[in-house]
Amino acid sequence: MSIRHGTSLLCKVACRDFIRDGQARLFSYTAARPQEKVGQSENNGRTTHFGFETVPESAKESKVGAVFSSVASSYDTMNDLMSLGIHRLWKDHFVRSLNPGSSSGETGDVKGWKILDVAGGTGDIAFRMLDHATTINHDTETSVIISDINPEMLAEGRKRSLETSYAGTERLKFLEANAEKLSMVESNSIDLYTVAFGIRNFTDKQRALDEAYRILKPGGVFACLEFSKVNNALLNGIYKRWSFGAIPMIGQLVAADRGSYQYLVESIEKFPGQTEFRSMIELAGFMVPGQGWEDLTGGIAAIHKGIKPLS
């Protein structure tokens, strides 16, 4: 089932074939806009949102951690509920649009791409990246580091990796780390930084974008797949009814965990819209291709990309 036939509202690819050996072509660049605001509590401590709840920044990490520890073993079920089952098509399209790996037709001392997949604990994106590089580009050198702050999610990824040919090889590594503090990753060392359905859960999204910029090589690419704002009123009404009316209840039935699924629905609602998130990417220093994002299924999800300037 293709993206075109599976999702009639899916937009055409807005940017493709824009990276080759880590070098990005030139795209239009728009001036940076104000970054996401962070609230202040009465005792002057920084606050943020946990779903619809306002919490101290220091508390969000543990709260989000508890959610993903709870849903780690049923992660696919969770994404099926959140995306009406279309997340697998979105992920396939996301990877194809990035075309990871050095083409076998390229010359020179090709070492493959170095990819960091952030909040990628279960390996959904990483395994697709490696499969694409190997089977499409005939590249057996490209490698992926799966980074996640949650040990239970990483454990699920390690377990799933045993069903692939990449387990125990230099092509696949796991890293327990906070995306806002990637001090163990060298500056200018990564060709491609991906994050899929994870950045909306970060405490300080702007700081994470700044870290992505720091660790990417000049010409390297930031790519994010995330739930977003639906751009069709009818579809938006249907999706909101499904999200708030059905998903928490189903979460209770299939996982005995209504609270985690309620948070996940609310986290989508609180995540910045397409234009605002593009501005945050620009604020970190990235150039953006075209309008800066590609809507999927009418904006239920969107792909954002940014390129670190060559100089």
Side-chain angles (χ1 to χ4, degrees):
M1 180 176 177
S2 69
I3 284 285
R4 184 179 297 277
H5 291 101
T7 58
S8 61
L9 291 173
L10 184 64
C11 297
K12 293 181 179 179
V13 179
C15 47
R16 65 181 70 171
D17 300 330
F18 66 100
I19 42 180
R20 182 180 178 86
D21 254 357
Q23 299 300 305
R25 298 177 184 172
L26 256 269
F27 290 95
S28 60
Y29 180 66
T30 345
R33 295 169 177 79
Q35 62 179 312
E36 185 181 31
K37 295 180 180 178
V38 178
Q40 297 285 328
S41 65
E42 289 182 0
N43 63 0
N44 206 36
R46 289 165 64 89
T47 62
T48 187
H49 59 79
F50 175 75
F52 290 161
E53 181 184 358
T54 299
V55 299
E57 277 195 346
S58 58
K60 181 171 181 177
E61 183 177 313
S62 62
K63 284 178 170 289
V64 171
V67 168
F68 281 90
S69 293
S70 174
V71 303
S73 61
S74 58
Y75 183 74
D76 284 339
T77 300
M78 177 194 77
N79 278 331
D80 283 334
L81 293 174
M82 305 297 286
S83 70
L84 304 177
I86 308 173
H87 70 99
R88 292 178 176 86
L89 296 177
W90 292 340
K91 290 171 181 174
D92 288 343
H93 176 67
F94 180 58
V95 171
R96 285 196 303 269
S97 77
L98 293 168
N99 191 26
S102 301
S103 171
S104 60
E106 294 170 2
T107 59
D109 186 20
V110 177
K111 297 295 185 183
W113 291 12
K114 188 173 181 180
I115 302 171
L116 179 67
D117 184 36
V118 174
T122 61
D124 270 7
I125 297 299
F127 303 150
R128 283 173 168 85
M129 290 282 184
L130 291 171
D131 285 345
H132 184 102
T134 303
T135 61
I136 303 300
N137 288 324
H138 308 291
D139 174 358
T140 59
E141 298 296 323
T142 283
S143 62
V144 181
I145 301 170
I146 298 176
S147 173
D148 204 294
I149 196 172
N150 189 286
E152 283 83 4
M153 293 291 282
L154 286 172
E156 186 69 20
R158 287 190 177 95
K159 182 174 72 174
R160 295 184 184 192
S161 74
L162 298 177
E163 301 173 6
T164 75
S165 62
Y166 312 116
T169 73
E170 289 299 308
R171 300 190 67 191
L172 181 65
K173 296 181 180 179
F174 293 85
L175 173 67
E176 184 177 337
N178 185 332
E180 300 163 26
K181 306 169 187 175
L182 293 171
S183 57
M184 69 295 295
V185 182
E186 292 182 14
S187 299
N188 305 307
S189 65
I190 300 295
D191 295 297
L192 174 62
Y193 175 118
T194 57
V195 55
F197 303 118
I199 201 168
R200 75 180 188 278
N201 300 300
F202 295 175
T203 301
D204 190 335
K205 299 171 186 62
Q206 192 65 57
R207 185 172 180 181
L209 289 168
D210 292 342
E211 274 290 84
Y213 186 89
R214 178 186 66 80
I215 66 176
L216 279 166
K217 297 176 182 177
V221 174
F222 166 84
C224 173
L225 170 62
E226 186 54 89
F227 289 107
S228 199
K229 305 302 181 188
V230 179
N231 54 35
N232 176 281
L234 177 60
L235 179 61
N236 188 47
I238 295 170
Y239 185 64
K240 288 288 179 63
R241 281 178 175 270
W242 169 256
S243 296
F244 288 95
I247 290 177
M249 180 177 65
I250 296 173
Q252 178 63 41
L253 294 174
V254 303
D257 188 359
R258 183 186 183 96
S260 292
Y261 285 79
Q262 182 70 39
Y263 158 73
L264 291 165
V265 170
E266 293 176 1
S267 70
I268 294 172
E269 190 72 13
K270 295 294 290 184
F271 187 68
Q274 289 89 322
T275 301
E276 184 181 355
F277 189 54
R278 177 193 65 192
S279 299
M280 294 172 67
I281 294 170
E282 291 174 327
L283 186 62
F286 291 102
M287 299 186 299
V288 296
Q291 72 170 358
W293 74 87
E294 175 191 357
D295 284 334
L296 305 179
T297 318
I300 292 179
I303 294 172
H304 285 262
K305 295 176 182 175
I307 303 102
K308 184 171 179 175
L310 293 172
S311 59

